[in-house]
Amino acid sequence: MPEALSPATVPPAAAGVVHALAERKETLATVESLTGGLVAATVVEVAGASAVFRGGLVVYATELKAALAGVPEELLDERGPVDPDVALALAEGGRARCGADWGVSTTGVAGPEPQGGKPVGLVYVAVAGPTGSAVRELSLDGGRPAIRAASVVEALRLLMDRL
């Protein structure tokens, strides 16, 4: 697992996503919580990203998940922000709000402390697109940088699997 992402360590999945989307003439939007924009930053490190990347939302605060990404407030109230259905709603909301073919999202606990009864390292990544949606639960180890970096890689891998 990478300790942290930098332009020199852009995961191969990022280039794969950009190239696959370009071939398909499809677009991408991101909605991020624990990764704080790192998925978007990783995608735009790839040459040609401007042809496929529409934009992204960073919704770190729970109330912004509803206000900006359209996650139902009842869902957030009932389950909290670290939940598979919230991850799916984030991906779908980003796709709709940014007018993209695909939406990818991250939500979870990067630490150093548990949040809302959820353990450090519990992360959900999700994608929503023209062929449906998918969510993956991750149980990650390491400090904040490692958890965030692994979340980016896994979100991009999930999208690549769907493409």
Side-chain angles (χ1 to χ4, degrees):
M1 235 180 275
E3 273 304 304
L5 292 176
S6 70
T9 59
V10 173
V17 162
V18 169
H19 297 298
L21 287 169
E23 284 179 11
R24 297 165 65 117
K25 296 185 179 2
E26 294 178 339
T27 56
L28 173 65
T30 59
V31 182
E32 304 179 62
S33 185
L34 84 149
T35 49
L38 197 53
V39 175
T42 301
V43 169
V44 301
E45 282 295 333
V46 179
S50 61
V52 301
F53 187 67
R54 295 274 304 150
L57 304 169
V58 176
V59 291
Y60 215 69
T62 299
E63 66 271 12
L64 293 182
K65 291 170 177 60
L68 298 180
V71 176
E73 288 181 24
E74 313 78 53
L75 178 60
L76 290 166
D77 290 343
E78 181 180 309
R79 303 212 196 139
V82 181
D83 178 83
D85 291 333
V86 170
L88 286 168
L90 288 169
E92 291 163 356
R95 178 179 182 228
R97 301 275 166 106
C98 293
D101 296 299
W102 292 90
V104 63
S105 71
T106 63
T107 188
V109 184
E113 300 296 325
Q115 173 189 336
K118 306 289 172 100
V120 172
L122 175 62
V123 174
Y124 294 97
V125 295
V127 297
T131 59
S133 58
V135 65
R136 185 172 289 162
E137 179 179 321
L138 309 172
S139 181
L140 303 171
D141 295 319
R144 284 180 62 81
I147 290 170
R148 293 176 70 234
S151 298
V152 170
V153 170
E154 292 303 322
L156 293 171
R157 283 183 180 157
L158 180 60
L159 177 57
M160 218 33 228
D161 290 350
R162 299 298 292 193
L163 294 173

